[in-house]
PDB file of all heavy atoms in Angstrom:
ATOM      1  N   LYS A 292     222.759 -46.586 208.411  1.00  0.00           N
ATOM      2  CA  LYS A 292     222.066 -47.260 209.510  1.00  0.00           C
ATOM      3  C   LYS A 292     222.486 -48.732 209.583  1.00  0.00           C
ATOM      4  O   LYS A 292     222.682 -49.290 210.668  1.00  0.00           O
ATOM      5  CB  LYS A 292     220.550 -47.164 209.309  1.00  0.00           C
ATOM      6  CG  LYS A 292     219.965 -45.785 209.562  1.00  0.00           C
ATOM      7  CD  LYS A 292     219.687 -45.599 211.046  1.00  0.00           C
ATOM      8  CE  LYS A 292     218.936 -44.291 211.290  1.00  0.00           C
ATOM      9  NZ  LYS A 292     218.570 -44.136 212.714  1.00  0.00           N
ATOM     10  N   PHE A 293     222.605 -49.339 208.421  1.00  0.00           N
ATOM     11  CA  PHE A 293     223.016 -50.739 208.373  1.00  0.00           C
ATOM     12  C   PHE A 293     224.447 -50.902 208.880  1.00  0.00           C
ATOM     13  O   PHE A 293     224.766 -51.847 209.606  1.00  0.00           O
ATOM     14  CB  PHE A 293     222.878 -51.270 206.945  1.00  0.00           C
ATOM     15  CG  PHE A 293     223.168 -52.735 206.802  1.00  0.00           C
ATOM     16  CD1 PHE A 293     222.376 -53.686 207.423  1.00  0.00           C
ATOM     17  CD2 PHE A 293     224.244 -53.171 206.037  1.00  0.00           C
ATOM     18  CE1 PHE A 293     222.643 -55.046 207.293  1.00  0.00           C
ATOM     19  CE2 PHE A 293     224.527 -54.526 205.894  1.00  0.00           C
ATOM     20  CZ  PHE A 293     223.718 -55.466 206.522  1.00  0.00           C
ATOM     21  N   LEU A 294     225.312 -49.965 208.498  1.00  0.00           N
ATOM     22  CA  LEU A 294     226.706 -50.022 208.931  1.00  0.00           C
ATOM     23  C   LEU A 294     226.838 -49.963 210.451  1.00  0.00           C
ATOM     24  O   LEU A 294     227.707 -50.609 211.035  1.00  0.00           O
ATOM     25  CB  LEU A 294     227.504 -48.866 208.315  1.00  0.00           C
ATOM     26  CG  LEU A 294     227.984 -49.022 206.869  1.00  0.00           C
ATOM     27  CD1 LEU A 294     228.658 -47.743 206.404  1.00  0.00           C
ATOM     28  CD2 LEU A 294     228.937 -50.186 206.731  1.00  0.00           C
ATOM     29  N   THR A 295     225.970 -49.181 211.093  1.00  0.00           N
ATOM     30  CA  THR A 295     226.076 -48.994 212.542  1.00  0.00           C
ATOM     31  C   THR A 295     225.337 -50.061 213.342  1.00  0.00           C
ATOM     32  O   THR A 295     225.378 -50.041 214.575  1.00  0.00           O
ATOM     33  CB  THR A 295     225.528 -47.613 212.941  1.00  0.00           C
ATOM     34  OG1 THR A 295     224.135 -47.533 212.598  1.00  0.00           O
ATOM     35  CG2 THR A 295     226.285 -46.501 212.235  1.00  0.00           C
ATOM     36  N   GLY A 296     224.645 -50.966 212.664  1.00  0.00           N
ATOM     37  CA  GLY A 296     223.935 -52.027 213.370  1.00  0.00           C
ATOM     38  C   GLY A 296     222.566 -51.628 213.866  1.00  0.00           C
ATOM     39  O   GLY A 296     221.945 -52.348 214.651  1.00  0.00           O
ATOM     40  N   ALA A 297     222.053 -50.490 213.397  1.00  0.00           N
ATOM     41  CA  ALA A 297     220.714 -50.049 213.793  1.00  0.00           C
ATOM     42  C   ALA A 297     219.639 -50.687 212.929  1.00  0.00           C
ATOM     43  O   ALA A 297     218.453 -50.657 213.274  1.00  0.00           O
ATOM     44  CB  ALA A 297     220.603 -48.526 213.706  1.00  0.00           C
ATOM     45  N   VAL A 298     220.056 -51.268 211.815  1.00  0.00           N
ATOM     46  CA  VAL A 298     219.143 -51.913 210.872  1.00  0.00           C
ATOM     47  C   VAL A 298     219.704 -53.283 210.531  1.00  0.00           C
ATOM     48  O   VAL A 298     220.914 -53.439 210.322  1.00  0.00           O
ATOM     49  CB  VAL A 298     218.971 -51.060 209.594  1.00  0.00           C
ATOM     50  CG1 VAL A 298     218.177 -51.816 208.548  1.00  0.00           C
ATOM     51  CG2 VAL A 298     218.298 -49.743 209.930  1.00  0.00           C
ATOM     52  N   ALA A 299     218.824 -54.275 210.463  1.00  0.00           N
ATOM     53  CA  ALA A 299     219.278 -55.653 210.268  1.00  0.00           C
ATOM     54  C   ALA A 299     219.448 -56.055 208.814  1.00  0.00           C
ATOM     55  O   ALA A 299     220.217 -56.966 208.507  1.00  0.00           O
ATOM     56  CB  ALA A 299     218.296 -56.615 210.946  1.00  0.00           C
ATOM     57  N   MET A 300     218.739 -55.392 207.888  1.00  0.00           N
ATOM     58  CA  MET A 300     218.806 -55.779 206.483  1.00  0.00           C
ATOM     59  C   MET A 300     218.880 -54.550 205.595  1.00  0.00           C
ATOM     60  O   MET A 300     218.298 -53.502 205.923  1.00  0.00           O
ATOM     61  CB  MET A 300     217.583 -56.613 206.088  1.00  0.00           C
ATOM     62  CG  MET A 300     217.343 -57.846 206.927  1.00  0.00           C
ATOM     63  SD  MET A 300     216.048 -58.935 206.244  1.00  0.00           S
ATOM     64  CE  MET A 300     216.957 -59.735 204.915  1.00  0.00           C
ATOM     65  N   ASN A 301     219.578 -54.673 204.460  1.00  0.00           N
ATOM     66  CA  ASN A 301     219.666 -53.558 203.528  1.00  0.00           C
ATOM     67  C   ASN A 301     220.112 -54.075 202.162  1.00  0.00           C
ATOM     68  O   ASN A 301     220.973 -54.952 202.079  1.00  0.00           O
ATOM     69  CB  ASN A 301     220.678 -52.514 204.029  1.00  0.00           C
ATOM     70  CG  ASN A 301     220.438 -51.147 203.418  1.00  0.00           C
ATOM     71  OD1 ASN A 301     219.346 -50.600 203.518  1.00  0.00           O
ATOM     72  ND2 ASN A 301     221.457 -50.590 202.800  1.00  0.00           N
ATOM     73  N   PRO A 302     219.531 -53.567 201.074  1.00  0.00           N
ATOM     74  CA  PRO A 302     219.961 -53.984 199.741  1.00  0.00           C
ATOM     75  C   PRO A 302     221.304 -53.361 199.400  1.00  0.00           C
ATOM     76  O   PRO A 302     221.712 -52.359 199.988  1.00  0.00           O
ATOM     77  CB  PRO A 302     218.849 -53.453 198.835  1.00  0.00           C
ATOM     78  CG  PRO A 302     218.335 -52.260 199.556  1.00  0.00           C
ATOM     79  CD  PRO A 302     218.417 -52.604 201.014  1.00  0.00           C
ATOM     80  N   GLY A 303     221.997 -53.941 198.436  1.00  0.00           N
ATOM     81  CA  GLY A 303     223.280 -53.383 198.043  1.00  0.00           C
ATOM     82  C   GLY A 303     223.873 -54.110 196.859  1.00  0.00           C
ATOM     83  O   GLY A 303     223.187 -54.828 196.133  1.00  0.00           O
ATOM     84  N   SER A 304     225.178 -53.925 196.664  1.00  0.00           N
ATOM     85  CA  SER A 304     225.872 -54.547 195.544  1.00  0.00           C
ATOM     86  C   SER A 304     227.227 -55.042 196.015  1.00  0.00           C
ATOM     87  O   SER A 304     227.607 -54.859 197.177  1.00  0.00           O
ATOM     88  CB  SER A 304     226.064 -53.536 194.410  1.00  0.00           C
ATOM     89  OG  SER A 304     227.059 -52.581 194.760  1.00  0.00           O
ATOM     90  N   ALA A 305     227.982 -55.636 195.088  1.00  0.00           N
ATOM     91  CA  ALA A 305     229.298 -56.160 195.444  1.00  0.00           C
ATOM     92  C   ALA A 305     230.219 -55.063 195.954  1.00  0.00           C
ATOM     93  O   ALA A 305     231.089 -55.305 196.789  1.00  0.00           O
ATOM     94  CB  ALA A 305     229.918 -56.849 194.232  1.00  0.00           C
TER      95      ALA A 305
END
Side-chain angles (χ1 to χ4, degrees):
K292 287 276 187 176
F293 185 64
L294 280 176
T295 62
V298 172
M300 304 189 77
N301 202 56
S304 73

